[in-house]
Amino acid sequence: MKKLWMAAALAGLAIGAQAKPNVLLIMADDFGVGSINAYGAPENLVQTPSLNKLAESGMRFTNANTPGAICSPTRYALITGRYAWRGPLPFGVVNVVDPMVVETDITTMPGFFQQMGYSTAQIGKWHLGYGDQRPVDFTTKLTPGPNDIGFDYHFGLPQNLDDMLRVWIENDGVYGLRSKKMSAYAKSFYGKPYMGFDAPQRSREEASEVLTQRAIEWMDAQEEDKPFFLYFASPIAHHPIVPSERMRGKSNCGAYGDFIQDLDWSVGQLVLALEEKGVLDNTIVIFTADNGGDIPANGAVRPENQAIAAGLKLNGINRGDKHTIYEGGCRVPLLVSWAGKIKAGEVNDRMVNIVDLYATLAHLATGKEQDLKDAIDSSSFAPSLVGKQQPERKPMVSSNAAGLHAIRSGEWKYIDSQFPDGAPQGLRNHFKKEAEPALYNLEEDPSEEKNVIDQYPEVAEKMRETLNGYRDGKGSR
């Protein structure tokens, strides 16, 4: 029976022109593997029925990793199929007034789908900049932007829930901008005044629902005979932790748990919209995150720490959190569902990377592996999704907020000590302890407690040589 199902699934990868699948790619923000029931989050603390259902209907990956332990590098890699440190982001993230870092002269993932005849949209958190000048003048046309790299439509949160812009961006301008007048007021979560654009101001508590509704409206408006690609980037669970009125007080681990349940509600609404439109069975649905959960170091009163005190393990058994080079910074949930093509309820321990989603989705949508010349770090795991054996993925790279690199190969993880050129001294000082060469066997030591570099120097040296080859321009796919 298993062989018959596998043969049918593999045959199903030969997609005809009339059967191109839709794609709904959902990316959460600062969301570790310990925050979903399907990955072990206790149901007496937080409940994620929609995400659990997605796991039950498709494949759940236990060894999914991000190329960066912080927002912008992962989002860049997702869209381009390239590690961000190869060019625009050797360290850090895109700041509020920075220009767009995605190159306009390469074929991006949305650009590929656009060329395939898809309608494309990006709705939600962007965090990859706008325009080509710093500082960006948000009262003018914002180009280049998402529309210039393959997205037909964009409705975005520029950076995070409480950035000092406090406006939405629609396509190439501030949504509802009435004039160039600006009047700064109040203060954001980060201590700086809001810039006070003459445009509708976002509500932090309502932002997730606004984005969800906007995404549903966009999907509903798509023509029945034209496939669509939607990259939906939820702002949850990045601080500030501001659950909606719908969910406030509903979990048993405080505001952070409530916030997780807001995310789960959003996922459920998006999938329900696909079902009501009658296209769910021909839609590839992916859920993942840009990096692990964030564990603040500045006080027990923060909602994240209150949830931890209640018993929630944001990043499971993994060491570290967002920003760090350790597994807690880059190990994330990955759920992939496609009715009739991906067997329901499967668990996969293959090592994959979020940078691989470009090649994988291009493979699934066309029925064959694509030669993506610009996406030199994106490796398709489409065969694994339909039950076919694949060779082990080539060694892959992750980086922390300061640009330190780690390379994974099978059970081994090597952490390098080389900061990128230009990394500020403050970042170097902050991450000094992580900048020590280390080697971990993740099969025997998944929590990275025992550095065995002295016992296996030849393994570390081989991995360092591979890493340097990547740094010199060799692709990792």
Side-chain angles (χ1 to χ4, degrees), residues 344-367:
E346 290 287 285
V347 178
N348 194 313
D349 63 359
R350 177 181 175 80
M351 182 180 77
V352 298
N353 196 295
I354 300 311
V355 73
D356 297 336
L357 286 175
Y358 182 175
T360 301
L361 289 171
H363 191 167
L364 290 175
T366 62

Side-chain angles (χ1 to χ4, degrees), residues 420-467:
D421 293 341
Q425 191 59 48
L427 270 182
R428 294 171 185 256
N429 294 340
H430 185 81
F431 289 96
K432 184 178 180 179
K433 290 184 178 180
E434 294 183 28
E436 297 177 3
L439 182 71
Y440 298 100
N441 185 320
L442 295 180
E443 284 190 4
E444 298 178 359
D445 179 26
S447 298
E448 297 171 286
E449 296 176 331
K450 186 178 180 181
N451 181 359
V452 295
I453 196 168
D454 291 337
Q455 291 96 306
Y456 301 95
E458 71 286 353
V459 174
E461 178 59 23
K462 183 177 180 181
M463 296 181 75
R464 188 181 69 82
E465 289 176 358
T466 301
L467 176 59

Side-chain angles (χ1 to χ4, degrees), residues 254-276:
Y256 191 78
D258 302 342
F259 212 30
I260 291 172
Q261 293 187 176
D262 269 323
L263 172 62
D264 185 80
W265 177 86
S266 174
V267 172
Q269 292 298 300
L270 293 171
V271 174
L272 179 61
L274 293 171
E275 187 174 4
E276 292 181 343

Side-chain angles (χ1 to χ4, degrees), residues 27-39:
M27 175 167 277
D29 197 1
D30 296 358
F31 196 74
V33 295
S35 297
I36 302 175
N37 302 140
Y39 279 92

Side-chain angles (χ1 to χ4, degrees), residues 143-425:
T143 186
N147 295 148
D148 299 294
I149 59 168
F151 289 112
D152 297 322
Y153 180 71
H154 168 67
F155 189 82
L157 191 74
Q159 191 180 49
N160 60 53
L161 271 175
D162 210 27
D163 59 52
M164 63 183 185
L165 300 173
R166 209 177 187 182
V167 291
W168 303 107
I169 305 297
E170 186 171 35
N171 292 322
D172 57 5
V174 171
Y175 172 72
L177 187 67
R178 292 176 286 263
S179 72
K180 290 181 175 289
K181 182 179 179 181
M182 295 171 63
S183 180
Y185 70 101
K187 287 185 178 181
S188 78
F189 176 83
Y190 306 97
K192 293 184 177 181
Y194 298 116
M195 295 178 75
F197 293 101
D198 186 17
Q201 303 291 287
R202 300 189 314 253
S203 163
R204 302 183 308 179
E205 290 79 5
E206 298 173 0
S208 177
E209 184 168 351
V210 168
L211 291 169
T212 302
Q213 186 58 38
R214 179 69 60 145
I216 290 171
E217 291 171 357
W218 183 84
M219 289 192 294
D220 284 347
Q222 300 313 299
E223 300 173 5
E224 292 185 5
D225 59 350
K226 187 174 184 178
F228 64 79
F229 170 88
L230 171 59
Y231 165 34
F232 179 82
S234 172
I236 301 174
H238 193 294
H239 54 62
I241 309 304
V242 283
S244 68
E245 284 298 311
R246 176 187 292 103
M247 288 298 175
R248 188 162 56 84
K250 294 295 177 64
S251 76
N252 289 319
C253 57
Y256 191 78
D258 302 342
F259 212 30
I260 291 172
Q261 293 187 176
D262 269 323
L263 172 62
D264 185 80
W265 177 86
S266 174
V267 172
Q269 292 298 300
L270 293 171
V271 174
L272 179 61
L274 293 171
E275 187 174 4
E276 292 181 343
K277 188 176 174 64
V279 298
L280 178 59
D281 286 350
N282 194 37
T283 301
I284 304 167
V285 181
I286 306 101
F287 174 87
T288 190
D290 60 350
N291 47 254
D294 190 11
I295 303 175
N298 58 348
V301 297
R302 293 283 293 274
E304 300 94 328
N305 289 324
Q306 290 177 340
I308 292 169
L312 188 68
K313 297 180 179 180
L314 276 59
N315 296 312
I317 65 170
N318 299 309
R319 177 184 180 182
D321 65 334
K322 176 185 178 178
H323 303 106
T324 72
I325 200 66
Y326 305 113
E327 292 298 282
C330 62
R331 190 69 70 93
V332 291
L334 175 61
L335 307 173
V336 187
S337 177
W338 187 12
K341 302 294 191 301
I342 298 173
K343 192 175 181 180
E346 290 287 285
V347 178
N348 194 313
D349 63 359
R350 177 181 175 80
M351 182 180 77
V352 298
N353 196 295
I354 300 311
V355 73
D356 297 336
L357 286 175
Y358 182 175
T360 301
L361 289 171
H363 191 167
L364 290 175
T366 62
K368 60 181 180 180
E369 191 164 5
Q370 298 294 304
D371 181 17
L372 305 171
K373 295 179 181 178
D374 295 318
I376 63 173
D377 299 308
S378 191
S379 177
S380 173
F381 57 88
S384 294
L385 287 168
V386 297
K388 187 178 181 180
Q389 292 295 316
Q390 277 190 275
E392 187 176 85
R393 193 202 190 282
K394 288 184 179 180
M396 66 181 188
V397 181
S398 59
S399 60
N400 74 357
L404 288 173
H405 292 161
I407 184 168
R408 287 276 313 277
S409 180
E411 71 271 29
W412 295 107
K413 176 178 179 177
Y414 168 70
I415 298 175
D416 197 47
S417 58
Q418 179 180 325
F419 286 104
D421 293 341
Q425 191 59 48

Side-chain angles (χ1 to χ4, degrees), residues 49-113:
S50 298
L51 289 166
N52 299 343
K53 187 175 180 181
L54 192 60
E56 292 165 2
S57 68
M59 186 173 288
R60 175 171 66 88
F61 284 83
T62 62
N63 194 0
N65 305 265
T66 60
I70 196 166
C71 306
S72 299
T74 294
R75 294 165 191 273
Y76 172 91
L78 170 73
I79 287 174
T80 66
R82 301 162 53 92
Y83 298 133
W85 48 262
R86 293 194 183 279
L89 289 170
F91 56 85
V93 298
V94 177
N95 292 317
V96 176
V97 295
D98 282 349
M100 187 173 75
V101 294
V102 181
E103 299 88 344
T104 58
D105 60 350
I106 63 173
T107 301
T108 62
M109 177 158 59
F112 174 85
F113 278 96

